[in-house]
Amino acid sequence: MSKDKYQKALTMDSRMTATYYRKSIAKTEQQKFLESLLEKLDPDLKKGQLSIADIACGGGTLSYHLSEIFANGSFCLVDFQENALEIAKELLQGDRYSFFLDNIYSLNSLQDDSFDLVCCWQALSWLKEPEKALQQLIRITKPGGVIYISSLFNIDHDVDVYSQVYDLTRESGSQGNAYDYNTYSARTVHRWLENLASNVSFIPFNPEIDFSYEGKGLGTYTVDSNAKKLQISGGMLMNWAILRIKK
């Protein structure tokens, strides 16, 4: 399995990443937003025994909270980092959960048309080949199933932003390894998904509370602008939104 820059940087920063995973057990504002969208846009998903995939699952906190909503659901968690999956296994125990070490660009462990609900949270913007990853997420989703993706999206302008970030507060950055830090325009995403989905929509994520961060590296804080809270990390604007895809 070849590693892109994101994978290499995460591996170098594994200790910091593991700390982040364990702290993330608290329900985030984006998690709350996802749950509100599921209630509003896909209430029928609560019916029956759903199959749910959590791709790039990290420490498993998204599935942890969703498992309370989908009490009869089965969860498949996938990540390319063994240490992330070990943390997820500590958090999620029982026969409702399965875990796979796999790459989002291939997802060889997962069959076509297998899942009612697929989630990929805060991962797409960090990938070298986002279009390829989207194709895999659609492949594993059942016809009529729904995909929810949290990422950086440029909804208001037809501009894609591809950048590399060297966070000098982390081992990866100090050793000259960068993260891809990308914002994709809605226009580009629609082109990627042409003829692959029955419906594609973007829902902006505008937090209602202030975020604070005192560090010098990557970390989200908010500033008020025209009655809207702008999200900033490392001095960069973060246009978070949720991409909803119905296959």
Side-chain angles (χ1 to χ4, degrees), residues 86-100:
E86 291 304 315
I87 294 170
K89 290 175 183 178
E90 294 174 9
L91 184 65
L92 302 167
Q93 300 182 14
D95 56 11
R96 295 175 62 194
Y97 309 102
S98 57
F99 305 87
F100 295 94

Side-chain angles (χ1 to χ4, degrees), residues 22-57:
R22 288 193 165 93
K23 287 174 61 177
S24 297
I25 188 62
K27 187 176 289 190
T28 66
E29 294 303 303
Q30 278 201 16
Q31 177 80 36
K32 296 174 186 176
F33 190 52
L34 170 62
E35 293 175 9
S36 71
L37 292 178
L38 289 168
E39 181 67 33
K40 179 180 178 181
L41 300 177
D42 296 290
D44 290 342
L45 285 176
K46 289 187 177 180
K47 302 175 183 177
Q49 296 182 335
L50 295 186
S51 55
I52 301 166
D54 184 355
I55 308 300
C57 66

